Amino acid sequence: MTSLTEIKVPDVGNVPSIDVVEVLIKPGDVIALDQTIAALETDKASMELPASAAGTVQQVFVKPGDKVSEGTLIATVLAEDAVVTETKAVVEPVAAPTPAAAPAVAPVQTPAPVVSSVAEPAKAQSAPVAATHINTGKPKPHASPSVRLFARELGVDMNLVSEGSGRKGRILKEDVKRYVKKAMTEGLPGASGGAGIPAIPAVDFSAFGEIETQKLSKIKRLTGQNMSRVWLNLPMVTYHDEADITDMEAFRTQLNSEKGKDEIKITGLLFIIKALVATLQQFPSFNASLSSDGENLILKKYCHIGIAVDTPNGLVVPVIRNANQKSIAELAAELAEKSAKARQGKLMPSDMQGGCMTISSLGGIGGTAFTPIVNAPEVAILGVTRAKMQPVWNGSEFVPRLMLPLDLTYDHRVIDGAEGARFMATLKLYLSDLRRLLL
Ligand code: CAO
């Protein structure tokens, strides 16, 4: 059964002239019950007009700029099994201009608000922003439904968008765009920890004892911003395993015993770089980055490895270019030079750009495992902690083997668990038998 139903302006409290600000439907649209179909505005309030019937829009009788009043026909709808309710406008107070003397929480008087007959679940569906709204004590921002929808699509909390540039402080699309641009370039405002997450509240620590405030170094501040951005943007998984480096260590010790006093010593990290580049060549999706729109994987034909270096000013990541083409001696010289430069604060920005994958080695300090954060837009990072002699079962007996803990964190949008495990298995194979690097 179908029937033609009229949607009219409901009783909004004896207001003779209401402006049509926006019309959100056109003939042919299929609309749901309570879907917002128009934005109306009086001197004192902004209203979202919900559909009083579901079905296909036949004709729309108003356009933005029209003046309407109670009973004005807005649209006709061909309703199937027509469920028709009495239309009730959802009225929002106008946020501005609020009289300066009025308490911040007091909304401007609205025309006798209409008591909504819409069921509670339907209300919750039509107002998702309100459902997640952090109570700032301020009146709800004044904006049309399409601007709210736009903000919702971008994940913007309308309450954080400062005063709108439209009439009576109405928030326009441009204001939302400006807010997003600001958030992208300057970080999200102090009122929020990012992505709408409430910030950790400020605490007066001096209330509990003596304190001293130290300014963070620029590197620490930038690292902090970058880490937070990566943490919020990347779904990361860390996979842990151990490589048997007993033979590698014997080889390394032998090489170092052959070296003169002033020659650069070979550390295990150099073999790890070698093994990593060989593994990367077998797993191109690890030597890659996601395009910024998330649509494409950009595979890199070069293999530049970043090495996290601990400095007095904080963490920096110099990059060893074309690490796959360098010998252990060349890698040793370059790592020594770059880590010295890093600790003296002499690295140039170009020394830290273009990395394909990063190694973060804490092995010189200790540890059994950790969960390094991917150095995005790279898609994976390898963490290394301290090698330890362990009893390993060889099938007939326990034998002492030097085991190196490895932690592989990857961006799960690009790499799945099985691929991560296979990557680690290959890396372990190279580390446990360096001869395989010759193959
Ligand atoms: N297991 C056991 N011993 C290890 C080891 C490991 N996994 N890794 C290093 N060692 C040993 C080295 O062999 C060396 O021993 P000797 O003094 O007997 O020769 C000693 O520890 C110191 O090594 P190192 O750290 O100076 O040298 P490296 O090549 O292993 O690392 C560098 C170089 C620059 C990566 C390192 O000095 C560094 O800065 N690491 C910190 C990285 C970091 O901060 N990561 C955290 C990032 S996430 O916040």
Side-chain angles (χ1 to χ4, degrees), residues 194-216:
I197 299 167
I200 293 165
V203 173
D204 175 12
F205 299 104
S206 65
F208 310 109
E210 195 189 344
I211 58 163
E212 182 196 331
T213 304
Q214 281 182 354
K215 190 128 191 87
L216 283 182

Side-chain angles (χ1 to χ4, degrees), residues 252 267 269 307-310 315 335 339 343 360-364 370 384-387 404:
R252 187 182 81 86
T267 64
L269 185 57
I307 305 290
V309 177
D310 175 38
L315 179 71
L335 182 62
S339 53
R343 290 187 174 121
S360 178
S361 172
L362 296 172
F370 72 118
V384 183
T385 50
R386 197 163 195 84
L404 178 72

